[in-house]
Amino acid sequence: MISGSAAVAAAASVTLLSACGRDDADDKPLTFWNFYSPAPQQDPNLVAQSQWFEEVIEKWNDENARKVTPVFMTGDQMNQRMPVAFASGDGPDIFLISPGDYLRYANGGVLTDLAPYMEPEAIDDFLPQALATRRDGEAIYGLPMEQEPLALFYDPDLLESAGVSEGDLPGDWDQLLELGAELSTGTTTGLVLDVDPGYYQNFTFYPWLWQTGGDVVDPKTQRPVFDSDGPRAALDLFGRAIANGATPRTRPANGDIVSAFTSGFAAFWQTGVWDVMNLRQNAPDKRFGVMPLPAPSGAETVTCLGGWAWCVNARGTDPEAAARFTVSALGSMDEDSIAHMAAWNSPDVKGNMPARSSVDAVLEARDAYAGEHYTTFRDVILPTGRAEPRFPPVVYKAVSDALQAVQLAGAKPEEQAATAQKSLESYLETYRGGTLL
């Protein structure tokens, strides 16, 4: 049984999030844990993103008594340190989370509802699919700063050298695997899919699963539906990609698409919109293409929409000030706020798809989507998007284990789907917390 009630979720909070709040001395700054600022190196891309955060924070600090201090750490460091920090009552006041980590903190009762600090017009300004995974009824427990759809990137130079024109791009799964296997010769990889277990690999797997009409959990009934034809077919796709030689067991160029494309090491690569700017800035003379993820024959393409959100610690130093800061930066109808969000999602800073209609309008007016790659993402791929699920760790792990077993150990998809289904059923029988979207 699943309840969307915040009260039930709080009652079911795990012990690592049960510590009390901290001292709220008036002069104590709010800590903002993030992996953007201050920039740890001088890569122009990272510097621009760090400066964006610095400008938001400086503007707030100039106008408010309660200051904000950014604390930089890598994504891995945040994953390791945040649960420990919250358990000791010393969690950050503001922090970044993806949908995959949302329920860990929402069910722990440590997230501040930001809706009371927002104008109704601003709430409505957020695109529904961007805000859905951070909501519980009317309550809003995180504000997304972006949307990050997945696509298939390709190297037209490599394809042309192999006698493949852009008019012959794969139109379905079978064509993709067949072409990927043909192109996998010597040091060249035909198709790069993620092979490392983790939330990111699951994120890249969901679109292929959804294209079959299948799912992990039925959105309406909130019951697991993994032991069915769709999930089995998606698992089989990842298994066949390895088995037929289209996809390697380790990603080429140590997972760096720029090095892989500039060296002719990869033909097709599943990744997200963020790599458009990555390639443009770090390999400005390299041609590349972007296309929707091919679907099974006769099916419609679907992508997954990731992206980071700012959340506020309800047991922090000053949750009200932290909420006002977060809303002023990401969720206000103030023109400066909208313009600053447009700058973040523009090709000059992060180059993602916006999470708000007003921001999208500003970017369109500035011709930010004029380039062919951003036009493809915005007009072709983004409309097919579905929000990344906010599955708790047990649900994520059941899917990850099945995917790894089929992809890298040669296990049978039907057996792994059944095993995952049993694990999901057992967990959800006693689960009490936010809905699994």
Side-chain angles (χ1 to χ4, degrees):
M1 178 180 178
I2 297 175
S3 168
S5 166
V8 173
S13 62
V14 291
T15 55
L16 66 84
L17 299 176
S18 62
C20 295
R22 307 196 301 272
D23 177 24
D24 62 350
D26 289 343
D27 59 350
K28 188 173 184 179
L30 304 173
T31 56
F32 185 3
W33 286 18
N34 72 94
F35 34 81
Y36 290 105
S37 182
Q41 51 184 291
Q42 295 306 304
D43 181 303
N45 186 16
L46 299 180
V47 169
Q49 295 168 16
S50 177
Q51 289 177 342
W52 184 91
F53 273 79
E54 291 171 7
E55 290 173 9
V56 169
I57 293 170
E58 287 175 4
K59 182 177 186 297
W60 169 268
N61 288 347
D62 288 343
E63 300 172 355
N64 294 272
R66 179 75 75 178
K67 309 304 181 184
V68 174
T69 299
V71 179
F72 174 86
M73 59 187 69
T74 66
D76 287 341
Q77 288 172 330
M78 283 188 66
N79 290 338
Q80 295 170 4
R81 292 177 59 181
M82 278 218 303
V84 176
F86 273 102
S88 65
D90 196 32
D93 295 292
I94 307 117
F95 54 100
L96 303 179
I97 62 172
S98 69
D101 244 359
Y102 170 81
L103 285 177
R104 181 200 303 267
Y105 298 97
N107 289 347
V110 298
L111 300 184
T112 297
D113 179 11
L114 302 175
Y117 302 92
M118 300 177 67
E119 307 162 71
E121 183 183 359
I123 295 175
D124 293 339
D125 190 46
F126 278 90
L127 300 171
Q129 72 270 21
L131 199 58
T133 53
R134 284 86 175 190
R135 299 192 74 159
D136 183 359
E138 297 301 313
I140 299 171
Y141 293 107
L143 292 182
M145 58 194 302
E146 61 204 1
Q147 294 188 102
E148 295 182 317
L150 293 168
L152 199 63
F153 285 55
Y154 61 90
D155 180 352
D157 296 324
L158 192 154
L159 294 178
E160 289 171 7
S161 68
V164 180
S165 70
E166 293 194 61
D168 296 323
L169 294 174
D172 59 34
W173 285 6
D174 291 336
Q175 293 175 14
L176 177 63
L177 293 188
E178 181 180 354
L179 184 56
E182 290 177 1
L183 294 170
S184 292
T185 58
T187 59
T188 298
T189 291
L191 171 64
V192 179
L193 299 174
D194 198 80
V195 293
D196 299 324
Y199 271 101
Y200 179 76
Q201 186 189 32
N202 281 31
F203 169 57
T204 66
F205 173 70
Y206 294 136
W208 308 100
L209 167 62
W210 294 334
Q211 289 176 357
T212 69
D215 215 324
V216 178
V217 174
D218 185 289
K220 294 182 179 179
T221 66
Q222 296 288 287
R223 303 305 304 164
V225 289
F226 202 67
D227 190 12
S228 55
D229 290 343
R232 296 184 202 114
L235 290 172
D236 183 58
L237 171 69
F238 272 60
R240 284 193 292 149
I242 296 285
N244 79 351
T247 297
R249 293 176 177 270
T250 58
R251 292 184 298 168
N254 199 30
D256 179 18
I257 189 174
V258 175
S259 297
F261 272 20
T262 55
S263 302
F265 290 161
F268 293 96
W269 193 302
Q270 183 192 8
T271 184
V273 65
W274 57 86
D275 270 328
V276 172
M277 189 169 69
N278 185 20
L279 283 160
R280 282 185 170 184
Q281 288 196 344
N282 294 296
D285 297 326
K286 175 59 187 172
R287 290 199 304 153
F288 66 96
V290 172
M291 61 178 286
L293 300 174
S297 181
E300 297 292 329
T301 185
V302 182
T303 193
C304 191
L305 304 176
W308 296 93
W310 297 16
C311 293
V312 171
N313 181 1
R315 303 171 186 175
T317 302
D318 187 344
E320 180 179 356
R324 289 191 293 107
F325 164 69
T326 298
V327 169
S328 70
L330 304 186
S332 167
M333 293 307 297
D334 181 82
E335 290 185 5
D336 288 343
S337 177
I338 295 171
H340 210 59
M341 282 303 302
W344 173 258
N345 287 283
S346 76
D348 298 325
V349 180
K350 188 71 185 293
N352 284 338
M353 296 291 103
R356 297 179 55 180
S357 296
S358 61
V359 175
D360 178 73
V362 170
L363 289 172
E364 184 174 24
R366 294 178 182 173
D367 289 331
Y369 304 118
E372 61 174 316
H373 304 108
Y374 285 118
T375 296
T376 300
F377 264 108
R378 193 238 188 178
D379 297 341
V380 179
I381 297 172
L382 184 62
T384 71
R386 177 174 164 183
E388 179 185 357
R390 58 186 194 188
F391 293 145
V394 174
V395 176
Y396 138 73
K397 190 66 165 53
V399 176
S400 179
D401 287 347
L403 183 55
Q404 285 286 300
V406 172
Q407 187 181 36
L408 300 180
K412 295 181 178 179
E414 57 271 18
E415 293 178 357
Q416 293 304 310
T419 299
Q421 177 76 10
K422 291 179 181 178
S423 177
L424 294 169
E425 288 176 346
S426 176
Y427 173 68
L428 293 178
E429 280 296 325
T430 57
Y431 173 75
R432 298 294 185 274
T435 55
L436 314 182
L437 297 180

